Amino acid sequence: MKLAYWMYAGPAHIGTLRVASSFKNVHAIMHAPLGDDYFNVMRSMLERERNYTPVTASVVDRNVLARGSQEKVVDNIIRKDREETPDLVVLTPTCTSSILQEDLENFVERASQDTKGDVMLADVNHYRVNELQAADRTLEQIVKFYIKKAKKKGDLPEGKTEKPSVNIIGISTLGFHNQHDCTELKRLMADLGIEVNEVIPESASVHNLKNLPRAWFNLIPYREIGLMAAEYLESEFGTPYIDITPMGVVETARCIRKIQQVVNAQGANVDYEEFIDNQTLHVSQAAWFSRSIDCQNLTGKKAVVFGDNTHAAAMTKILAREMGIHVVWAGTYCKYDADWFREQVSEYCDQVIISEDNGEIGDAIARVEPSAIFGTQMERHVGKRLDIPCGVIAAPIHIQNFPIGYKPFMGYEGTNQIADLVYNSFTLGMEDHLLEIFGGHDTKEVIHKGISADSDLNWMKEAKAELNKVPGFVRGKVKRNTEKFARERGILDISLEVMYAAKEAVGA
Amino acid sequence: MSNTIQPEALTFECETGNYHTFCPISCVSWLYQKIEDSFFLVIGTKTCGYFLQNAMGVMIFAEPRYAMAELEEGDISAKLNDYNELKRLCLQIKRDRNPSVIVWIGTCTTEIIKMDLEGLAPKLESEIGIPIVVARANGLDYAFTQGEDTVLAAMAARCPKQVLEVEKEAKNGIQKLLSFGRKKEEVAAEKSEYVNHPPLILFGSLPDPVVTQLTLELKKQGIKVSGWLPAKHYTELPVIEEGYYVAGVNPFLSRTATTLMRRRKCKLIGAPFPIGPDGSKAWIEKICSVFGIEPQGLVEREEQIWNNLEDYIQLIRGKSVFFMGDNLLEISLARFLIRCGMTCPEIGIPYMDKRYQKAELEMLEKTCQEMGVRLPKIIEKPDNYNQIQRIYELQPDLVITGMAHANPLEARGINTKWSVEFTFAQIHGFTNARDILELVTRPLRRNNALKDLGWDKLVKEEAKV
């Protein structure tokens, strides 16, 4: 047992649901008690999704505990197959179903005899893997399933596409700026003359998975999701994969050079050096930003970085290598993949912190007092408490991290966005600092513009106490309305009763 | 609204229970705020933690007095000793926060692995010297607001049995609040404002301002509220002696009511709930009638509130509302909205206690008859998928639903109001009737503002049905 207030990565089933619901026409059925379908709320709220989240629960209740859930699960799968005719139903175990130890595999078998669509059981152990690992695994599982199916039916397409092509693997729902990154990556590929063969799982159809082997290579933009699928495709079809995240100017160039190498090895004859040069020097503003006086002012400023592997590693490199900022420590909550992180960032920061404990991270921030933090929403709130600005670079995230405007983190437009994010975080801190040096905001109390500036009315003690409970931003309004009400009725003493009567009268 | 419809009685149906609601452990989010010296320890898995973390939104950053005791593989397979593990965590809580009570929230996992929380608590309690209250607020048995019911039922057992003579004055929190800072004579004078009636305890967690409002409302009738379950502090739980009267303020408190009647031998005043001016009046009237008091000025008061609501009522009169059902406030809200002139084809509700909600159901029936509208179908354990098909058919003017369905319905041109807001907004008593309508009319007012833009359906025609 451990005492926990907050977690960075969610439970395993969230990862499975993220992958399943990213695909088109795939339905996930959770084997879970009432209330565990909170994923739907998150997707509907955070992603502002117009469509119903294709996730339902086969509810585990007392009756299920007594009788077993076979009948119910099988019925629910068959019912969903009829109602929505999905291509695939993914039965998703939760922590509850893990300990019930029912033979879900068998239920899937039974149900699939009566369904038009395919049915599979997500193979994730709740107590061993987290959201990210589960997502990686589920994606691999679905890819494998449909490759095997196509092989068996003999309709696996032969050979590669005519022109160099790529599968972009790992774009998913509820991922940090994933939609924007996806658009930016597609644009980058188009600029490089590379066809996008498939993007999975986001908006992909399972019917197209059999086309995956036709790509010349696979691009895995995120460390956390897609690697297992890429490894499988490599072992099965020899498709090479590139797992360099094109985030930041240097890493984007490195990724593009790797693409060049991979496609040239397969007979293409491309040279991207000029493209990289042109983008770096003239299109993206990030390289110029590094030379500008703005960025000069940031030299040696202290920052800390915390997030998932992909974003924390990329940000650390950008801050240290491209902006000359002093990264005191960089950290990740991807404990299971800590070695990779260490290897990536060790030379760019003084210290590496691997932790899933937000308290430990908060303390580490307080200890070094950086000028800016780059972290998750949790670090943003730590920053608020300590009065240190924070740029959010990784999940867990809130609704404001699902912007409507175009905000990729990847590719050349991504470098611009990141430069803004970094610069804005630091200057905000600078601005506050200057305000303090020069005596702060004008703090003279604003003269009451209400009708009851100097009160001839007597606020009785309990009413005054009640008024103080009213949130600050409406307190003035409540006070004015109450006094207006009292004055109109010739009441001199404002008691609790008067206060409520006033509220009823004006409805405010 | 013709008078030709003569419905006989309410109909009740039960569907599959495939519906969306919050897990009952969410009750910690408002109860830890209400009971200021408490600490809530949710004994469950990452799934529970993830839900709370996301559902509570920014509250989580305010150093809440709640935490997860996150079960690991060793706990599930009993490699670790539950008692020692809990002791370690509770000592840590005692050291860091020193609460007056630790509430253990049992979850689905503790149910399935049959962790004997009720057995462990008294032992640990005596060992560490802090009361430990156990509530099994799990998703196997309960929905959303019923979580509070399980906690209050457990708290009911902890209410002191007898007033100590010395403490008699100090004990009463409400009394103290009202007489705060005043001279003894004044307090004595105030006492005589009350009619002589047996002690009355109200149960249900409400924000402090609403507690004050309802207490004052009863004071106007000469009724004294001797205590409130829960109080602001665990150490101020009210005395409950055999023969006391109790009344509920929320429709989801049936276990608490049962516990107060059976275990504490209280008399339950079965009344409609004080939601809406109609409900508030009926609630007070019923309490008055039990104590043989002739209510004063209630009719005028109700009418005055209704008059103040007229601008909002104009927006909803004649419109229809559909409750998908997730928080058990549905019957009371529907009753109020029908009185406002709305029609209501369906009330979904997670669980329907026909005994505890008897007076409310009768009032709903009566309201429908008086307003000349068809009685709603009450659907217990609804099936959200079926409900959505019915919503497409009926095209109601407003659907009150959870966040999982709100955006998709809006994209299809159907107005929605997020149901959870009714749980957190102040909706009780005469004073707050306007707040309910503020919530209900918000989508309609918004859409009035946008209505000429032609943007009401924002999804492409679906290929399949």
Side-chain angles (χ1 to χ4, degrees), chain A residues 196-474:
Chain A
V196 175
N197 186 53
E198 297 289 338
V199 176
I200 61 167
E202 188 56 45
S203 303
S205 161
V206 289
H207 298 307
N208 293 354
L209 292 175
K210 61 172 186 284
N211 297 330
L212 285 174
R214 285 176 55 77
W216 289 32
F217 70 100
N218 293 319
L219 179 63
I220 317 301
Y222 305 107
R223 174 74 191 169
E224 291 77 15
I225 304 178
L227 215 50
M228 285 179 76
E231 276 161 4
Y232 165 74
L233 290 169
E234 187 184 45
S235 70
E236 195 70 20
F237 303 102
T239 316
Y241 67 85
I242 296 172
D243 60 351
I244 301 166
T245 303
M247 201 181 293
V249 181
V250 178
E251 290 298 291
T252 303
R254 200 157 77 88
C255 178
I256 295 173
R257 290 198 180 101
K258 182 78 186 175
I259 293 174
Q260 175 179 315
Q261 185 198 331
V262 163
V263 295
N264 283 347
Q266 294 176 62
N269 182 21
V270 294
D271 182 0
Y272 295 139
E273 285 307 327
E274 201 189 317
F275 173 79
I276 295 172
D277 229 38
N278 190 41
Q279 289 287 327
T280 306
L281 299 180
H282 306 297
V283 180
S284 157
Q285 298 294 319
W288 159 234
F289 172 75
S290 321
R291 295 292 304 184
S292 73
I293 301 300
D294 284 340
C295 191
Q296 206 182 86
N297 279 334
L298 301 181
T299 309
K301 282 209 176 291
K302 284 197 286 184
V304 298
V305 181
F306 189 76
D308 59 9
N309 268 355
T310 304
H311 294 88
M315 276 309 287
T316 306
K317 291 181 200 169
I318 293 170
L319 292 171
R321 193 163 57 183
E322 298 178 18
M323 298 181 179
I325 288 161
H326 177 197
V327 180
V328 185
W329 58 259
T332 179
Y333 54 80
C334 298
K335 242 179 163 166
Y336 64 94
D337 197 15
D339 292 344
W340 180 86
F341 186 77
R342 263 197 210 95
E343 184 204 311
Q344 293 289 309
V345 303
S346 290
E347 55 178 306
Y348 300 108
C349 59
D350 304 349
Q351 194 197 345
V352 175
I353 298 184
I354 311 289
S355 174
E356 291 173 320
D357 176 359
N358 67 289
E360 194 183 331
I361 298 305
D363 291 346
I365 293 172
R367 220 171 26 240
V368 303
E369 290 200 33
S371 308
I373 306 166
F374 298 92
T376 70
Q377 280 291 338
M378 191 44 146
E379 285 66 50
R380 190 172 76 86
H381 284 268
V382 172
K384 266 186 167 173
R385 208 173 301 159
L386 300 174
D387 257 336
I388 301 170
C390 175
V392 174
I393 56 153
I397 36 186
H398 283 169
I399 197 152
Q400 69 261 38
N401 302 114
F402 289 88
I404 300 173
Y406 187 52
K407 293 217 160 47
F409 269 62
M410 288 186 183
Y412 286 107
E413 178 54 27
T415 63
N416 294 338
Q417 297 292 337
I418 292 171
D420 275 344
L421 179 79
V422 172
Y423 185 62
N424 289 343
S425 304
F426 277 107
T427 43
L428 265 186
M430 199 59 191
E431 201 172 273
D432 278 359
H433 182 59
L434 287 174
L435 272 171
E436 232 162 78
I437 290 176
F438 294 121
H441 283 283
D442 187 6
T443 49
K444 237 183 285 169
E445 212 167 315
V446 184
I447 312 241
H448 235 296
K449 54 176 188 233
I451 40 163
S452 55
D454 57 324
S455 181
D456 49 334
L457 298 165
N458 173 31
W459 280 77
M460 291 168 79
K461 229 169 199 161
E462 66 271 26
K464 208 180 254 172
E466 190 75 10
L467 183 66
N468 283 331
K469 282 187 216 153
V470 175
F473 58 96
V474 287

Side-chain angles (χ1 to χ4, degrees), chain A residues 1-2 4 7 37 44-45 50-52 57 62 79 95-96 99 128 385 500 503-504 507, chain B residues 18 45 53 68 70 73 75-76 85 88 111 141 213 301 308 383 392 403 407 412 431-432 458:
Chain A
M1 248 179 244
K2 69 174 185 202
M7 67 184 84
D37 57 350
S44 178
M45 268 174 95
R50 298 175 200 218
N51 286 312
Y52 299 99
R62 283 284 158 193
R79 180 183 157 188
C95 57
T96 307
I99 42 178
R128 305 226 167 127
R385 208 173 301 159
Y500 294 132
K503 184 186 177 196
E504 286 159 21
Chain B
N18 277 325
T45 61
Q53 169 173 328
M68 292 293 309
E70 195 183 307
E73 206 163 7
D75 298 302
I76 306 298
E85 291 296 300
R88 185 169 57 81
E111 286 297 312
D141 299 305
Q213 286 159 11
R301 183 140 170 72
N308 286 341
D383 184 294
Y392 288 160
M403 203 40 115
N407 270 337
R412 284 158 184 77
T431 318
N432 298 310
L458 293 153

